[in-house]
Amino acid sequence: INLMEMTGPTIIMYIVFMWIGGSPGSTAGGIKTTTFAVAVLNALSIAQGKGRLEIFKRELADESVKRAFTVITLSLIILASAIFLIIYFEPQTAFYRIVFECFSAFGTVGLSLNLTSELSIPSKIVLMLTMFAGRVGALTIIMAFMRKIHSLNYRYPTENIFIN
């Protein structure tokens, strides 16, 4: 089908599904279905006033919840950066086409609103880097460059901050 003939709501649905991507262990890019599920379940758990995340009569480790939100945050930072850069390089291009292209690249989906061939070399490089980050994973890339701390022999006092 010609994707250029899709309506706005359909394009938004495609964008969301491309961002969520596939399941863990698959070759799909994006944030993975389990990451999205953990984030949604955590939001519901907080809304219910629970102090922990429980699913299928198991408690999910805080580390998994932190990783899920880190992956989501990093993916949105990468996508926002890619969209910003392509808008900068291609100011005459429709915003929704750039957004669709970036989310498709991040999810390694391969769909396009016939924009890729019209882009300049810098914009294509941005898309290539977005594809790489979406497939390998932003957290994996950052962890490759960070020094791993094996153990901390101290602990600071705990504080709660107001978050709304």
Side-chain angles (χ1 to χ4, degrees):
I1 64 169
N2 183 0
L3 297 179
M4 286 293 291
E5 305 215 357
M6 291 191 303
T7 61
T10 307
I11 289 173
I12 291 171
M13 269 183 24
Y14 267 74
I15 287 170
V16 169
F17 290 138
M18 289 187 297
W19 177 59
I20 294 172
S23 293
S26 72
T27 59
I31 65 165
K32 307 295 185 223
T33 54
T34 51
T35 302
F36 183 74
V38 167
V40 170
L41 291 171
N42 187 55
L44 293 173
S45 179
I46 290 170
Q48 292 171 344
K50 293 182 180 178
R52 60 186 180 263
L53 180 56
E54 299 170 341
I55 180 169
F56 301 123
K57 297 184 181 182
R58 303 269 191 220
E59 184 177 336
L60 204 59
D62 284 340
E63 183 69 23
S64 295
V65 177
K66 287 179 186 177
R67 276 177 155 306
F69 278 96
T70 302
V71 167
I72 288 171
T73 302
L74 289 174
S75 76
L76 293 175
I77 289 170
I78 288 168
L79 286 163
S81 301
I83 291 166
F84 175 83
L85 287 171
I86 294 177
I87 288 172
Y88 177 77
F89 295 132
E90 316 289 336
Q92 73 287 355
T93 306
F95 179 72
Y96 77 97
R97 291 178 74 195
I98 293 172
V99 171
F100 189 91
E101 204 77 18
C102 288
F103 275 83
S104 178
F106 186 78
T108 60
V109 176
L111 295 177
S112 177
L113 294 179
N114 301 329
L115 179 61
T116 312
S117 61
E118 300 172 12
L119 294 175
S120 64
I121 298 297
S123 294
K124 288 179 182 178
I125 291 171
V126 169
L127 281 182
M128 286 187 283
L129 294 172
T130 305
M131 281 182 220
F132 182 76
R135 176 59 196 99
V136 174
L139 188 57
T140 305
I141 294 169
I142 288 175
M143 288 172 63
F145 294 107
M146 299 293 284
R147 184 175 57 94
K148 189 142 185 154
I149 299 172
H150 294 287
S151 66
L152 297 174
N153 297 326
Y154 62 90
R155 194 167 191 123
Y156 291 118
T158 304
E159 285 291 328
N160 285 322
I161 60 172
F162 180 72
I163 298 177
N164 192 6

